Amino acid sequence: MSKTFRAWDVDQGWLLPASLHQFVPPGHLAHFVRDTVREALDLSAITGVYKSEQGQPPYHPGMLVALLLYGYSRGIYSSRQLARACEERVDMMAVTGLNKPDFRTISTFRRRHLVALRGLFVQVLRLCQTAGLVKLGHVAVDGTKLRANASRHKAMSYKRMAEQERKLEAEVKAWLDQAQAADAAEDAQHGADHRGDETPAWMADKQRRLERIRAAKAQLEAEARAGADTSDAHGPGPSSGMQQRGARKNLTADEKQSATPPDRAQRNFTDGDSRIMPSGGGFIAGYNGQIAVDAAHQIIVAEQVSTNPADFAALIPLVDQAHANLGRKLREVSGDTGFATEANLAAMAERGIRAYLTPGRIRHGETDPTAGRVLKRKPLMQAMADKIRRAGRRSRYRLRKHTAEPVFGQIKQPRGFRQFLLRGLNQVRGEWAMICTAHNILKLYKATA
């Protein structure tokens, strides 16, 4: 007797349309994200932009928000990959209601509403707080280096800019002289009304490169003349290599006129806001993504992106942002040696927050966190070192390792986010906020499933 198999009839039509709720099992993440966006999030900052009744009705903004958040939670960030998934994956169809926006629509929507999408981080965080996932008993802060959408090989030092500018200027001038001579010869041969004076493609490329180098060189020179005036907490900050001579000072009017950037100062042609940062034993063109994480359920309570490879300047903004987001003061905060400075410890004491910021690296088996670090004339740092050393393995500082660091592991490994897609500091900040929002949505889903 032959084996009986279940029917496989791909031409069978449906008598009744299928329900979207049956595309994936009950309790699936797709249902959770879709319903959270529809019922729990305030999207008025996005929907309020659409006022005109002219033209074809656009895709529902809520559907596109749900698509982005669900895609980010599944490790799908590219607008082309999201558009393809809307056509191929039933879980995406359950989120979009069988809508199939093309990749340009998704990309334009994300870029147009990036500020409003960033604001969803606080809304989702408060949903986590309402669900009892945020205890604020212990919060850990940490930072990680993420690649920019640019290659470090596309950065050029100020010294090389000056050399290339002179070289390209001479080449372009020689080609223009040759072209002018050729034009004169052709005019004499063919007449002045005939063509032949177009700029060759090979010469136009050099001309464009010269213009880009001159623009980047002028930006570095303007930054050097501005001196300490460029230290904007909300902007990208000084370019890579600009501070090699030590702390920047306020310049006099005469010094500003004559100030030039250090030869090592660099600017990236692809993403001018990115900075050269150490990462994995080498260097990348990237940004520093920083978070504050609640220890109870690994909920991100504050996030930011900076162009400073050092973490110390991010501590107080993260702490204050977490307080503003949740309306409650943090009780204790831990952070690695990158956050430990005398000024930070003083600021934490002023806010009444117990700090566990190690003044030095603690390796397995070591009891002295001050190894290799001089703490003379730094009483707060010395007191912190003594506090951590006395507690040993019972120190609250050790909560940091299984609070903040695993979150970066989840973002980078299972969800595969290691490089920003967008360019420019403001765009990158919006993208990082969406990554953190998707992380919190996943934590909320797992806690309520």
Side-chain angles (χ1 to χ4, degrees), residues 226-243:
D229 297 339
T230 60
S231 55
D232 181 6
H234 301 288
S239 299
S240 298
M242 186 64 74
Q243 293 180 292

Side-chain angles (χ1 to χ4, degrees), residues 52-58:
S52 175
E53 294 295 335
Q54 298 177 350
Q56 282 286 100

Side-chain angles (χ1 to χ4, degrees), residues 99-298:
N99 284 295
K100 299 176 182 178
D102 60 47
F103 73 91
R104 292 184 183 86
T105 299
I106 298 171
S107 177
T108 302
F109 179 86
R110 176 169 52 190
R111 185 171 58 252
R112 181 184 184 186
H113 301 291
L114 199 57
V115 174
L117 290 170
R118 186 181 183 187
L120 297 180
F121 171 78
V122 177
Q123 293 191 47
V124 173
L125 175 58
R126 289 177 178 168
L127 291 177
C128 294
Q129 185 182 24
T130 302
L133 302 181
V134 180
K135 305 296 185 182
L136 294 185
H138 184 91
V139 172
V141 294
D142 206 354
T144 188
K145 307 303 187 296
L146 296 158
R147 294 182 182 275
N149 188 0
S151 169
R152 67 183 178 89
H153 300 294
K154 289 297 183 181
M156 183 180 289
S157 69
Y158 180 77
K159 180 180 180 181
R160 189 158 176 248
M161 284 181 190
E163 295 171 351
Q164 288 293 308
E165 181 184 22
R166 289 191 295 270
K167 178 181 176 182
L168 290 174
E169 189 174 18
E171 290 183 14
V172 170
K173 183 179 183 302
W175 290 333
L176 289 173
D177 292 341
Q178 293 175 10
Q180 186 175 2
D183 286 345
E186 289 174 357
D187 286 346
Q189 181 179 0
H190 303 293
D193 296 333
H194 289 78
R195 295 297 300 272
D197 58 344
E198 297 87 356
T199 303
W202 51 267
M203 183 177 131
D205 289 339
K206 292 285 186 179
Q207 182 69 44
R208 283 194 294 269
R209 182 165 178 79
L210 176 59
E211 291 170 357
R212 292 173 65 189
I213 288 176
R214 283 175 171 168
K217 184 167 172 279
Q219 289 170 330
L220 287 177
E221 290 170 346
E223 186 178 331
R225 287 192 296 270
D229 297 339
T230 60
S231 55
D232 181 6
H234 301 288
S239 299
S240 298
M242 186 64 74
Q243 293 180 292
Q244 68 164 352
R245 295 173 182 170
R248 304 177 66 159
K249 63 178 182 178
N250 292 314
L251 303 179
T252 65
D254 292 338
E255 288 174 331
K256 287 183 178 182
Q257 291 297 323
S258 59
T260 58
D263 288 342
R264 290 180 58 189
Q266 295 186 23
R267 193 165 187 87
N268 195 288
F269 295 129
T270 307
D271 184 351
D273 288 348
S274 66
R275 297 291 183 260
I276 301 298
M277 297 189 177
S279 176
F283 292 88
I284 62 170
Y287 294 91
N288 192 354
Q290 295 148 329
I291 55 175
V293 183
D294 183 76
H297 295 276
Q298 294 181 346

